[in-house]
Amino acid sequence: MDGRRILVVEDEALVAMLVEDALLDAGFTVIGPAATVEEAMGFLAAERPDAVVLDLNLAGETSTPVADALASRGIPYVIATGYGASGLPAGHQQAMVLAKPYDPSELTAMLGRICTPA
């Protein structure tokens, strides 16, 4: 994906490393990972990613504020969650959902569809 920049928002270190490896292997550039809402918002304040992989539950903290910021800025995102589409926060029911556990190739294919060409 010729360096498209993807912010990874994931609180589980092992999952974040696996996602990062899969993205790098597919040619993406990884921003983060961010393990908290505060870290994610800091990354978003500093730069604009091409897309975001967003875990909904960050160690018991909802990442809805991050999803809200992404939607308001027009940044595409994929919600990675074990709760399924029924657990999406209000205003984000149309978001692309990747049910955990997922195959990394599913994630890279989904990101390939939502990242706009340079």
Side-chain angles (χ1 to χ4, degrees), residues 12 17 27 37 40 47 51 58-59 62-63 69 77 80 84 90 98-99 106 112 116:
E12 294 183 41
M17 287 189 308
V37 168
E47 54 192 305
L58 302 173
T62 179
S63 63
Y77 57 99
L98 194 56
E106 293 176 81
T116 56

Side-chain angles (χ1 to χ4, degrees), residues 3-40:
R4 298 271 179 244
R5 298 163 351 117
I6 309 298
L7 172 59
V8 176
V9 182
E10 171 61 61
D11 63 323
E12 294 183 41
L14 182 58
V15 173
M17 287 189 308
L18 293 170
V19 168
E20 183 174 7
D21 286 347
L23 294 176
L24 292 172
D25 288 346
F28 292 100
T29 298
V30 175
I31 303 169
T36 66
V37 168
E38 183 178 353
E39 287 179 351

